């Protein structure tokens, strides 16, 4: 009998041990497939809480038999909730659990601008990224260009340079547009002369991400990135084909029609984007001058992607844009010119470029990349009794080696940039050629889980060379540090040197239409050189299960020595320096389907010439933006936004008034159709309401600085048709 009791006791022990199960799972991002180390797993009924290790692996032992709900959460991602029956069918199998991005949150984003293709949270350089979800919203607000997309970003100010043609440029942290590099897929398609009108000729529908680096970035891509850089990342073909058409009309006599197609097969893929944009001349104030010019633009961007094998891939693309833009006296535009009505501004442009990218994967950690672009840009700028005609032929070549190790990541490379501008008679003496050869090295070192250091060094040689002290040779160091202080608090601190070669094309000469400008003598002109610092604090934390808050506070300071200015139609180095410093504050609160965003920028930009300090003109000290969005994913979106721009010093010594604009967006989404209505500037803030924008006669107007909108209230509505959709 004793032996029977012992046998029963042993059987019970074995059964009890066998009832203790193990749960194994790996947590990844459903889009990038990157592991989500630190993801939290909870079994509420058992009061068990654990987290994923550095490889994203979750292991929980001693789970009894039965059915239990297991919750997996990660900041910025939607919660995963599943019921599992224990024992599992295959107890040794590691389950793969994918988490999708939470609504309204910029989660695991891989950035390309630093070439290392790493997660935005792990890079010491401060990078801001607008993902596809936000670009989708912007493409319905202004489908024809990226002017609004940039203008609504904290720290970026869009400045209109023409009162009648709508020409505009943008300033980062108070510095002129010539100090910012605008890239497409990491290539400078919009440099020099071809940068003119670029804001107005790029559609957001063809983009899947936009990346901003504010502050000195010349070490990354060479001269011209003193204020920062903007990288426009194009869409690529995905597993599922896509065919989308967008039709849009505006109350300001505008119409847009665009289409996008992409498909990926086993060894080949393609994307094709095309658009036609039209706007009739629009004069809401009845001044007799166009606030929006008559515009006709056609764009086509086809690309072919090759997936040769698992280690080799390439893509090739073409970009072509043709545009006619006519602004000025409304009677001239309508063909009724006479002795009194004869003023006009004509911009006729043709833009064509090729892009080539080849990637060879050496192993899981290393690869070699080659990039090339060749660009052709032709522009005619005309007015009464004056024409400025020129064409630019430019090229960019880069070869780089990338290695992403567990502790250290390296990027080593070299590039060659050529820029050849030919001005047509009678301004043919403005022609020039410039060649830049550079080598660079970048390193990201992850010392431990809380500290990473990114350093870089570039050596550039320019020909023809500017005046001493540089003589065309520039050594550009750069360093940035990332401190992950806690799970919710991090900080970045960095700085670097920058430079900008002398060029004809800047905000002042563009505003004056190049009418009487003297040829630039590079050998007698010094390059502009800079030093910049920036630092930020970033706090991110959940507020319960369905909400989180994100706060970022940035401080910046940049000094540009001997900046190039236009004086008596001559471009020369100013006797002193330009400085800008300030702060940006960004607060984002996400509560399930409701998202609030608050952005504030303080900018103090001054010139220090001949011992005198003066505020820079057309640079608001204070800018404030507020945005509220309610969205049911895939069904409905409602947004409201407001912007405040403070008073600005004008070039005639007066001060422009501050103003507030307000906008609304309503969008209804169906399976294959989106319907949207958007209204901008509902407060009808117009500079023409506060006085005349020109002096002299209508036949020969002398325009004042444009610091506020001219087009007033503009409502647009349209549909997006998704015949093939993921």
């Amino acid at each position: 009998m004793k032996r029977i009791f012992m046998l029963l006791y042993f059987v019970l022990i074995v059964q009890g041990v066998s009832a203790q199960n193990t749960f194994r799972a790996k947590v990844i991002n459903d889009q990038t497939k990157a592991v989500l180390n630190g993801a939290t797993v909870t079994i509420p009924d058992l009061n068990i809480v654990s987290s994923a290790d550095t490889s994203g692996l979750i292991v929980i032992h001693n789970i009894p038999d039965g059915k239990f709900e297991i919750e997996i959460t990660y900041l910025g991602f939607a919660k995963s909730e599943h019921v599992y029956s224990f024992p599992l069918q295959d107890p040794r199998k590691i389950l793969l659990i994918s988490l999708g991005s939470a609504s309204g949150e910029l989660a695991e984003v891989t950035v390309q601008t630093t070439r290392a293709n790493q997660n935005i949270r792990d890079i010491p350089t401060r990078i801001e990224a607008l993902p596809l979800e936000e670009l989708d919203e912007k493409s319905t607000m202004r489908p024809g260009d990226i002017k609004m997309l940039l203008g609504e970003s904290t720290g970026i100010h869009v400045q209109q340079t023409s009162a009648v043609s709508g020409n505009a440029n943008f300033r980062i942290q108070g510095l002129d547009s010539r100090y910012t590099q605008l890239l497409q897929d990491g290539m400078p398609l919009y440099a020099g002369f071809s940068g003119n009108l670029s804001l107005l000729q790029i559609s957001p529908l063809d983009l899947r991400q936009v990346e901003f680096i504010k502050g000195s970035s010349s070490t990354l891509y060479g001269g011209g990135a003193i204020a920062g850089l903007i990288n426009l990342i194009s869409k690529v073909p995905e597993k599922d084909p896509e065919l989308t058409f967008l039709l849009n009309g505006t109350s300001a006599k505008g119409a847009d029609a665009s289409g996008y197609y992409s498909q990926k097969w086993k060894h080949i893929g393609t994307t094709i984007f095309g658009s036609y944009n039209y706007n009739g001349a629009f004069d809401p104030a009845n001044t007799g001058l166009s606030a929006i010019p008559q515009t006709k633009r056609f764009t086509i961007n086809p690309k072919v992607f090759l997936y040769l094998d698992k280690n080799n891939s390439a893509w090739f693309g073409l970009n072509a844009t043709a545009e006619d833009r006519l602004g000025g006296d409304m009677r001239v535009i309508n063909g009724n010119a006479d002795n009194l009505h004869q003023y006009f501004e004509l911009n006729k442009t043709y833009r064509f470029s090729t892009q080539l990218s080849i990637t060879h994967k050496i192993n899981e950690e290393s690869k070699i990349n080659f990039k090339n672009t060749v660009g052709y840009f032709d522009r005619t700028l005309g007015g009464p009794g004056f024409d400025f005609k020129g064409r630019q032929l430019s090229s960019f070549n880069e070869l780089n080696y990338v290695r992403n190790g567990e502790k250290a990541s390296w990027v080593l490379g070299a590039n060659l940039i050529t820029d050849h501008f030919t001005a047509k008679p009678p301004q043919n003496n403005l022609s020039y050629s410039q060649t830049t050869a550079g080598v660079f090295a970048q390193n990201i070192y992850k010392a431990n889980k809380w500290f990473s250091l990114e350093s870089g060094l570039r050596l550039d040689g320019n020909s023809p060379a500017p005046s001493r002290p540089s003589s065309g040779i520039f050594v550009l160091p750069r360093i940035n540090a990332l401190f992950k202080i806690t799970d919710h608090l991090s900080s970045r601190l960095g700085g670097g040197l920058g430079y900008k070669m002398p060029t004809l094309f800047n905000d002042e000469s563009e505003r004056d239409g190049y009418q009487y400008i003297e040829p630039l003598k590079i050998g007698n002109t010094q390059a502009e050189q800079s030093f910049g610092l920036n630092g930020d604090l970033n706090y991110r934390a959940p507020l319960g299960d369905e909400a989180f808050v994100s706060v970022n506070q940035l401080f910046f300071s940049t000094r540009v020595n001997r900046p190039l200015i236009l004086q008596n139609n001559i471009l020369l180095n100013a006797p002193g320096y330009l400085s800008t410093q300030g702060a940006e504050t960004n607060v984002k609160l996400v509560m399930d389907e409701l998202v609030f965003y608050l952005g504030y920028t303080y900018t103090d930009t001054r010139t220090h010439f001949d011992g005198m300090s003066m505020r820079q003109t057309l640079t608001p000290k204070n800018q404030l933006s507020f945005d509220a969005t309610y969205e049911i994913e895939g069904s409905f979106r409602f947004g409201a936004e407001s912007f405040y721009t403070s008073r600005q010093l004008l070039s005639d010594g007066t001060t422009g008034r501050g103003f507030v604009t307000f906008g609304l967006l309503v969008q209804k989404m169906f399976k294959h159709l989106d319907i949207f209505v958007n209204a901008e500037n509902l407060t009808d803030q117009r500079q023409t309401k506060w006085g005349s924008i020109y002096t002299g006669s209508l036949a020969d107007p002398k325009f004042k600085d444009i610091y506020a909108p001219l087009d007033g209230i503009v409502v647009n509505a349209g549909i997006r048709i998704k015949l093939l959709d993921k």
Side-chain angles (χ1 to χ4, degrees), residues 252-368:
K253 302 182 180 181
D256 306 280
S258 54
Y260 174 80
Y261 168 73
S262 73
Q263 188 157 0
K264 182 179 181 181
W265 296 275
K266 185 176 181 181
H267 292 295
I268 194 170
T270 186
T271 64
I272 302 173
F273 170 77
S275 68
Y276 178 75
N277 308 97
Y278 171 82
N279 217 109
F282 183 58
D283 176 21
N286 294 317
T287 61
L289 296 169
S290 59
I292 298 177
Q294 176 181 284
T295 307
K296 301 172 185 177
R297 180 171 69 252
F298 175 76
T299 301
I300 182 72
N301 296 335
K303 291 181 181 177
V304 176
F305 297 78
L306 301 176
Y307 313 101
L308 305 176
D309 52 47
K310 65 178 183 179
N311 294 325
N312 296 282
S313 61
W315 62 266
F316 175 77
L318 301 175
N319 301 271
T321 299
E323 180 186 270
D324 284 340
R325 179 180 294 262
L326 179 61
D329 193 308
M330 294 293 289
R331 291 187 58 174
V332 176
I333 296 172
N334 294 327
N336 299 316
D338 56 30
N339 290 335
L340 178 61
H341 302 276
Q342 52 185 286
Y343 180 77
F344 69 93
E345 285 185 19
L346 171 68
N347 279 277
K348 195 170 185 177
T349 59
Y350 176 69
R351 187 189 300 271
F352 180 82
S353 62
T354 62
Q355 290 177 278
L356 173 66
S357 176
I358 301 173
T359 299
H360 171 65
K361 187 177 178 181
I362 302 172
N363 51 44
E364 292 301 318
E365 294 183 340
S366 305
K367 61 182 179 180
I368 297 175

Side-chain angles (χ1 to χ4, degrees), residues 106 109-112 129-132 135 207-211 231-235:
L106 178 60
V109 175
T110 300
V111 295
Q112 298 184 15
L130 292 179
L132 185 60
L135 294 175
L207 304 177
R208 65 183 170 98
Q209 189 162 296
V210 177
E211 299 171 8
N231 195 6
L232 309 172
I233 311 298
S234 303
K235 290 180 179 179

Side-chain angles (χ1 to χ4, degrees), residues 113 115 178-183 186 188 191 215-229 396 398 414-417 436-442 457-462 474-476 478 497-501 528 530:
T113 303
R115 301 184 182 87
R178 72 177 185 272
Y179 298 127
T180 299
Q181 279 192 338
L182 183 61
L183 309 172
S216 180
S217 305
S218 289
T219 305
L220 291 174
Y221 287 93
I226 286 174
L229 62 86
F396 169 82
E398 178 176 295
N415 48 34
L416 177 69
I417 303 170
T436 304
V439 293
F440 57 89
Q442 299 167 205
L457 183 68
R458 169 179 285 272
L459 174 64
D460 271 2
N462 291 269
F474 300 93
V475 179
L476 305 172
R478 172 175 168 269
L497 302 184
Y499 79 98
K500 173 66 177 174
M501 285 291 292
E528 302 171 83
S530 71

Side-chain angles (χ1 to χ4, degrees), residues 514-554:
Y514 309 97
Q515 289 196 46
Y516 308 107
I517 191 170
E518 295 291 328
L520 177 65
K521 298 179 180 179
I522 292 183
N524 296 332
T525 310
Q526 293 184 18
E528 302 171 83
Q529 294 182 264
S530 71
F531 174 71
L533 290 171
N534 61 77
D536 79 342
L537 283 171
N538 190 57
Y539 177 77
R540 299 158 50 92
L543 301 175
D545 292 335
E546 301 295 334
F548 70 87
V549 64
S550 174
V551 181
N552 181 268
Q553 179 62 56
L554 168 71

Side-chain angles (χ1 to χ4, degrees), residues 134-135 137 222 230 258 283 365 369-370 456 468:
E134 293 191 40
L135 294 175
E137 178 183 346
I230 298 173
S258 54
D283 176 21
E365 294 183 340
N369 304 286
F370 172 75
R468 291 182 178 277

Side-chain angles (χ1 to χ4, degrees), residues 160-168 196-197 200 279 281-282 288-296 323-334 337 341-349 379-388 507-515 693-695 697-706 710:
Q160 188 165 331
T161 58
S162 170
V164 296
S165 292
N167 301 0
N196 296 319
L197 305 175
L200 310 175
N279 217 109
F282 183 58
L289 296 169
S290 59
I292 298 177
Q294 176 181 284
T295 307
K296 301 172 185 177
E323 180 186 270
D324 284 340
R325 179 180 294 262
L326 179 61
D329 193 308
M330 294 293 289
R331 291 187 58 174
V332 176
I333 296 172
N334 294 327
H341 302 276
Q342 52 185 286
Y343 180 77
F344 69 93
E345 285 185 19
L346 171 68
N347 279 277
K348 195 170 185 177
T349 59
R379 181 188 183 191
T380 297
L381 173 61
F386 176 78
D387 282 321
F388 177 72
D507 296 355
E508 293 176 289
S509 52
E510 174 69 21
R511 182 190 60 207
D512 293 344
Y514 309 97
Q515 289 196 46
I693 59 171
Y694 70 92
T695 59
S697 66
L698 190 62
D700 186 24
K702 306 300 180 185
F703 290 102
K704 301 178 180 179
D705 289 338
I706 304 301
L710 299 177

